[in-house]
Amino acid sequence: MYDLISGNSTNLKQQSKVESNYLVWNKKVPDTELEKFKKIIEKKYNLKFQTYWDLHSWSVTNFINFWEEVWNYSEIITSKPYEEVFVKNGPGFLDNEWFKGAAFNYAENVLRIRDDREALLCLDEEGNFEKVTFAQMFEEVKLYSAAFRKHGLQKGDTVACYMSNRKEAIFAMLATLSIGAIWSGPQPFLGATAAANVVATLGAKFLITVDSFVEYGEEYRTMDNLPVIAENAPTLEKIIIVPTKEETLSKDISHIPNSHLLEPFLEKGRTPNGKIPDIVFEQLPFNHPVTVAFTSGTTGMPKGAVHTAGNGWTLWTFHIPCLSLGIKLILQNGTVYPLKDGCNLWDVISKYKIAFSLLLTTMVDKLEKVKACPNPSNRNFEHLKVIAIGGSPVKTANFKYIQSVVGDNVLVTNFYGSTEMFGPISGIDYNMPIYAPEIQVLSLGTQVHCADLKGHPVAGEEGEMVLTVPNPLLPLYLWKDENNETLQRTYLTKYQGFWRQHDMCYVNPQTNGIVLKGRSDDVFTQQCERFGAADIYFAIHGMEEIQDYLCVGQNKWNGDSRAILFLKMREGYVFTPEFKDKIANKIKKELCEECVPELIMEIQEIPVSDNRVYTMSLCSFLFKAIKQFYDIVSNDFLDTISHTFPI
């Protein structure tokens, strides 16, 4: 590690205090893909790497050569080769052009395997199950692409997806990207107004959705929200509905403008003799946008990071490129806790011989809370290689619980990435120790520092995560961000010449592992759901009982975080348990259950300033300072102090 400002290591500060760590993994695994890649680099560049960190150092010092080798190792299908790997086209950290001159298609690379091996296993909590082969998936994408083109979708248009974890979403995404259109959309749990705002912001030409889906036994009728979406998203030319119920097929949908059921829509893509035209993969440059991923915000202008054709992230799209390697994906639609037949996630992993699973931290918490374990008669984890945990700060208890279920022959790791970064910041080396709750290693090509307030790298104390080396996985721009003003202000101003990730972290000087400590901005991460105060305000705005409100985030003593909503009641109204439930239900309806603040309480006055965001940040800072000062570790810490301090 070196000083962000001076570039040397002499200013590196350390504290003697080091968090105690739990050894999770310390085994040796031969012939890993990492080892194969390392040997290629060693042979080509006449080098010898003694440790992972030696290879990592080379990858960030010689990042242009590194990314060229990744391109070659991945065997990217192109119609035109690249002329240069990296071209600087401006003074800024993101002013770069990667793989200049290359022409290729994301979907074509994902769909390179077209045989009868299983590609998708689709299941839901109601017991439905379906298999899709690579050959079938290719034919489906071909039909979707033909129908999209017939109905007028063109390169640069936007398709919004508003459905749960289904095979149709994958077919539609790959078809969209084959044409050179852009894929995005609202989360399926969002209410009508919030979903409409995302679709309208995207300027979507098509919307593909589902009539309903079930999660935790609760039915979400997304089709009921479509009239509101259609009314508020004037760019929509087609609304495509995937029916999951027989009754949907006979329903009158004429009240939903420009709506079509899926099958009649797809049939338009066939030729007069019923055949499907050959798919045409538009050949595009590396920096052509393929998806927009919203980090937070459903009101006004959501902050949408634009992915390029050369990368892909977020917890859903992260798995899609695995199909290019012939890896089978399990699409679990609905809860992973007790299913209809009494099974849970561990039974699914055992039954379907899953090798890798990425679990949200809160998912692990809930599995542990309900004491989920596999059926003893079907307990078989011999195919399971890795379980990764992420989405919010991971706790040592999460590692211990998973090991108690799957044993210590499965690598359990803290997996960290971001919507903005479009790729994992953490890496995995099978042949190095893993200590909970740390991120074991940084991914190759990614250089991260834990920076103090002056921008100096620190170890042994809390700081802010900063990326210091150009990376093709960083975003092109933010959607509809005029002159890149929001991008510059949010990510590129505080640490000049580097990328501010907005996560607080701690580097263990003994292991070089990284522990995440929560967000450094006013974005909340609660139950692995990222959202902002504006989302909460959007949901409750207009409720006549409320005069004013303020929502802030709090990092709790055990590494979790939560949102806290303060309410000032209008004269003549009383804050009651019933009203508290009304608030929670309103937020759940408009956003989702995970966005309901864990603490909702009345307050006599709301802090006022010219800039409400500044007030939120100040309140968050005060809560943290008070907590540290009093060393209160109770989960209901704010319940204790709210009557003591005039906030």
Side-chain angles (χ1 to χ4, degrees), residues 295 313-315 358-365 388-395 398 413-420 426 439 503 516-519 523-531 559-561 594:
T295 59
W313 174 248
T314 70
L315 293 177
L358 173 56
L359 306 178
L360 296 177
T361 308
T362 52
M363 186 184 299
V364 179
D365 289 338
I389 321 169
S392 62
V394 182
K395 302 177 285 294
N398 300 138
T413 188
N414 186 335
F415 198 68
Y416 169 64
S418 74
T419 307
E420 302 95 336
S426 64
I439 293 168
D503 282 318
L516 293 177
K517 294 291 189 178
R519 298 289 296 178
V523 174
F524 315 140
T525 303
Q526 177 181 275
Q527 299 186 49
C528 291
E529 187 69 28
R530 281 181 66 187
F531 56 98
D560 290 339
S561 58
E594 288 76 15

Side-chain angles (χ1 to χ4, degrees), residues 18-19 21 394 399 413-414 434-440 506 508 511-515:
V18 179
E19 294 183 358
N21 301 96
V394 182
F399 287 83
T413 188
N414 186 335
I434 295 177
Y435 295 92
E438 297 176 0
I439 293 168
Q440 181 201 33
Y506 167 96
N508 185 335
T511 65
N512 225 16
I514 299 174
V515 178

Side-chain angles (χ1 to χ4, degrees), residues 368-583:
E368 181 179 13
K369 187 171 291 185
V370 300
K371 299 180 179 179
C373 59
N375 187 319
S377 64
N378 186 37
R379 188 186 184 114
N380 181 5
F381 295 119
E382 65 180 25
H383 294 86
L384 184 60
K385 305 300 182 186
V386 177
I387 287 186
I389 321 169
S392 62
V394 182
K395 302 177 285 294
T396 300
N398 300 138
F399 287 83
K400 291 183 176 180
Y401 162 67
I402 290 175
Q403 285 193 319
S404 73
V405 176
V406 302
D408 60 4
N409 287 323
V410 177
L411 187 149
V412 183
T413 188
N414 186 335
F415 198 68
Y416 169 64
S418 74
T419 307
E420 302 95 336
M421 175 65 179
F422 299 166
I425 293 174
S426 64
I428 299 174
D429 185 349
Y430 279 98
N431 294 294
M432 282 181 60
I434 295 177
Y435 295 92
E438 297 176 0
I439 293 168
Q440 181 201 33
V441 292
L442 296 172
S443 60
L444 296 178
T446 302
Q447 181 65 309
V448 164
H449 290 294
C450 176
D452 65 13
L453 294 175
K454 295 181 180 179
H456 299 148
V458 295
E461 63 179 89
E462 190 171 311
E464 187 166 11
M465 185 173 288
V466 179
L467 277 64
T468 63
V469 172
N471 193 308
L473 305 182
L474 288 166
L476 273 179
Y477 50 84
L478 299 184
W479 189 257
K480 292 191 176 180
D481 177 22
E482 190 172 348
N483 299 320
N484 289 328
E485 290 181 2
T486 301
L487 181 71
Q488 290 289 333
R489 182 179 66 253
T490 306
Y491 301 105
L492 300 171
T493 300
K494 183 175 181 179
Y495 303 101
Q496 287 293 326
F498 302 110
W499 175 273
R500 181 188 184 193
Q501 186 53 40
H502 288 282
D503 282 318
M504 301 302 293
C505 62
Y506 167 96
V507 176
N508 185 335
Q510 292 186 351
T511 65
N512 225 16
I514 299 174
V515 178
L516 293 177
K517 294 291 189 178
R519 298 289 296 178
S520 62
D521 56 10
D522 289 317
V523 174
F524 315 140
T525 303
Q526 177 181 275
Q527 299 186 49
C528 291
E529 187 69 28
R530 281 181 66 187
F531 56 98
D535 301 308
I536 303 301
Y537 303 156
F538 162 81
I540 66 175
H541 182 72
M543 295 185 72
E544 62 178 359
E545 300 95 333
I546 305 172
Q547 180 173 329
D548 205 356
Y549 38 76
L550 178 68
C551 191
V552 300
Q554 179 200 14
N555 292 329
K556 297 195 284 187
W557 66 274
N558 63 353
D560 290 339
S561 58
R562 64 175 177 178
I564 302 159
L565 177 61
F566 297 103
L567 300 173
K568 180 181 180 180
M569 303 298 291
R570 193 180 297 277
E571 187 175 352
Y573 291 95
V574 179
F575 184 84
T576 62
E578 292 75 20
F579 180 71
K580 182 179 177 181
D581 290 341
K582 181 179 179 180
I583 287 280

Side-chain angles (χ1 to χ4, degrees), residues 5-21:
I5 307 302
S6 66
N8 59 59
S9 60
T10 57
N11 293 327
L12 183 65
K13 299 189 294 182
Q14 292 189 2
Q15 288 185 345
S16 58
K17 180 183 177 182
V18 179
E19 294 183 358
S20 60
N21 301 96

